[in-house]
Amino acid sequence: MILTSILIALKIMLFMAGTEIEYNSVAIFLITISVSLLITSSIGMSKSKYKNIFISIFYILISAIMLVDVVHYAYFNSLPSVKMLNQASQLTDVADSVRSLLTLRNLLLVIDIPFVVFYLLKFEKAGKNYPNKFKIGIWAGLLVFIIGIFTFVNINGSINSIKLQELYTFHFTDIKNTLFSNEETETLEGNTKFTEEDLAELKERTRSLQGPYTGIGKDKNLIVLQIEALQSFVVDLEYNGQEITPNINKLIHDSSSIYYDNYYQLLGRGNTSDAEFVTNNSLHPSMESPTYTQYETNTFYGLPWVLKDNGYTSWAFHGYKKEFWNREKAYVNQGFERFISEEDYTFEESIGLGITDKDFFEQSIDYLVELDNLNENPFYGFIVSLTSHNPFEMPEKYHVLDIKPEHEGTILGNYLQSIHYTDKYIGEFIEELKEAGLYEDSVIALYGDHFAIQNTSEEIHTLMEDFLGHKYDFNHIMNIPMAIHVPGEDLGHTVSKVGSQLDFFPTILNIMGYENEKGLVFGRDLNNYEGYTNVTPQTIMRKGSFVDEDTIFSISRTEIFDHSTAIDIKTGESLDISEFRDVYEKAIEDINKSNFILKNDILKHLIENNGVLDFGQITVNRIQNKEYIQKIGTNTIDELTAAYNKGNKIMPVDISLTEDEDKELEEQKIILVNDQGPIPIEELADWTNLYNDAHILFRSESENKDTLFYKMKYAIPKSPRDFIVEINSFDEHYFITAHGYENLLLNTLGNNYTDQEILDFLKVHSLFGIILEEDRLQTDLVENIKELGTDVYIEYEDSIEVVILSDREGS
């Protein structure tokens, strides 16, 4: 027990270092070690003769979870969700990439397991069958300590920081929300006021801007190359007297090319597939699941569809398994009419995941010729390469670069060899286009899908900084090259406006000379838009972060604005984060609106109704006449009926669990709290069926609200969206919405939230309303809250009423 406790403590410190714990590190360490000790001591106190086996199982599990967390964090800068288990089948396909992240420090989390298990089973004595008072005292002390520290962090407002960083708290919350979430009533993320004005603004953003390059590609074929892990630092790089990407450089600097040197990746959970999605649709990717999976059946109107409406035929090409990232199914609604996948290519040699770029590009020419011969109309070929995939391990015969000794065998040295190989066959592909007679009549675009080398360890960080001669920061990691080549046109221009894959669709569409008359875009035409631009990533950096021409603004893992950092790109100096609040809020707002469009399949509504959106069909809050909530005195069904007959549509009821000491929490019933005795929830369920236009406001003082509202979904068959739930803290929002309740009334009475904390919370989360103390009604807070689209209430003895701005003075 002592040995395992010491080893777990050491592993917790490794875990915290590997996941870069930023805030409340002492509290996080104490919680993790205390919970671990509580579990092992509970097992040790049991009567089972197999207790050492159970401790071994726990030790294996906690070690493995830590390793998975650290490896995932190294690649994605976030802890993994249990929702990602549906992608576990893809792990075998990227085994080499995962293996490259298994550094010695990370492997220390599991390398001792065989020895510890052997020791526990062979030498550690099981101890007494029954715990003595000392053991009980230790166990009780740990429990009290854990309760105490959670109480402390909850009081001082650090609980959200703990949930996002601490091992047990994060995974417990994640698993609970995954198991108990109601996907059919999934709530919208953020305070999304999607209005007619927002729709008009997006339509205006979608309209083509006239400029010197408008229409220069009209009626030409479009060939887009998405190159695996092509990162900007290799462009024009001369290494040890060798040009790393001579063919890409030639394309970029051709007098008929436009090069975009301030261009960034924009990914969600789907990595390469999300790069494809964002590029073709100009919508933000999902951070819940890969977008191709989560929104497979949505209606889209991206680049393939616009071109199809103008006579084009669109094919997608990728030399890997057609089901990977759900491409085979997703490509249909993306607008691709055929998918050329691994099964359509013939090859004997494999590198990394499969077909070599040599075979892939060579055979893709034959398919492009076939596509060109289908009819007299132009085509769109979307081509996704494969060979230059992490960990970039190439067969020795392809090690043609002379790598310096200090880079030999490193991820940098391997990457240079790999991308040099891919570059060679990009050059051959362009020459073969010429030989096939396709080159002159085609617009060719090329860009990288995402980073090649992440800052996954101090070793890699030092390696890259020494190599580049400067800090290897977010703006370098996410920077990918993009070029558009129009043979015969006098271009030869570099665009340094900050952009991302979000901007590709509007930019290329303007060059092709076609209008997007049915869809919506969030990106900008980088050639013609003259306003401010930035990139707002959600992987590597967190939602609300952004990179623009001058600044890297990074939200911390706690997701608290005041914990953010802002760095001047040119000088590396820290900046005052308060200067960037407006940009931060606009970033969140845009992402929330894009999520709204995806979750509600808005493009389907627009296309079916000729660009008109019936907001009545997609209103987030369906509850009307919400200005007045009539309280009832005795909390009975008869009083609810009487209040309804007087014209009231919203009435609060107090609910709780029976809290029978003889029953487990899961077995307890939901009741209406009443002085004359509890009223079964079934009576309220029957009442809501009779009065289906009434809305109940659930209030509860229960300490088990999570279980209460999970059970409530099944106790009353009506949709949770028809009810209102009172929450008494920010933290309750997390688990109440997980059960499908989207109409939340935040009661701030008795809390010590500052005005700014309340406003920040409401900007990210959409609420039914908020109850404020009377002394806050004379401040600007009420007006600021209403500007966010949230109603402010004040609670009286007999009612809860919306505050009217003009009446504040008399309140």
Side-chain angles (χ1 to χ4, degrees), residues 57 114 130 134 262 268 315 370 402 453 475 493 505 739 774:
I57 293 171
Y130 298 95
F134 176 75
N262 235 346
W315 287 7
E370 179 186 342
D402 181 17
I453 303 177
N475 58 317
H493 179 58
F505 177 21
H739 299 316
E774 281 194 67

Side-chain angles (χ1 to χ4, degrees), residues 548-564:
D548 63 20
E549 186 176 352
D550 304 308
T551 310
I552 304 171
F553 179 85
S554 180
I555 292 294
S556 77
R557 284 182 63 195
T558 63
E559 298 183 338
I560 295 174
F561 179 84
D562 289 340
H563 291 171
S564 307

Side-chain angles (χ1 to χ4, degrees), residues 195-205 207 520:
T195 64
E196 292 187 23
E197 290 75 19
D198 294 323
L199 180 60
E201 190 275 329
L202 286 173
K203 285 185 175 181
E204 183 63 31
R205 193 185 300 195
R207 288 194 180 94
L520 301 172

Side-chain angles (χ1 to χ4, degrees), residues 616-630:
Q617 293 182 1
I618 58 167
T619 301
V620 177
N621 193 329
R622 299 184 295 167
I623 297 178
Q624 305 298 317
N625 303 315
K626 51 184 285 193
E627 293 80 12
Y628 182 84
I629 302 174
Q630 174 65 56

Side-chain angles (χ1 to χ4, degrees), residues 709-721:
F709 284 99
Y710 165 65
K711 295 170 73 71
M712 180 66 75
K713 289 192 304 182
Y714 303 100
I716 299 182
K718 288 182 71 174
S719 168
R721 305 174 88 179

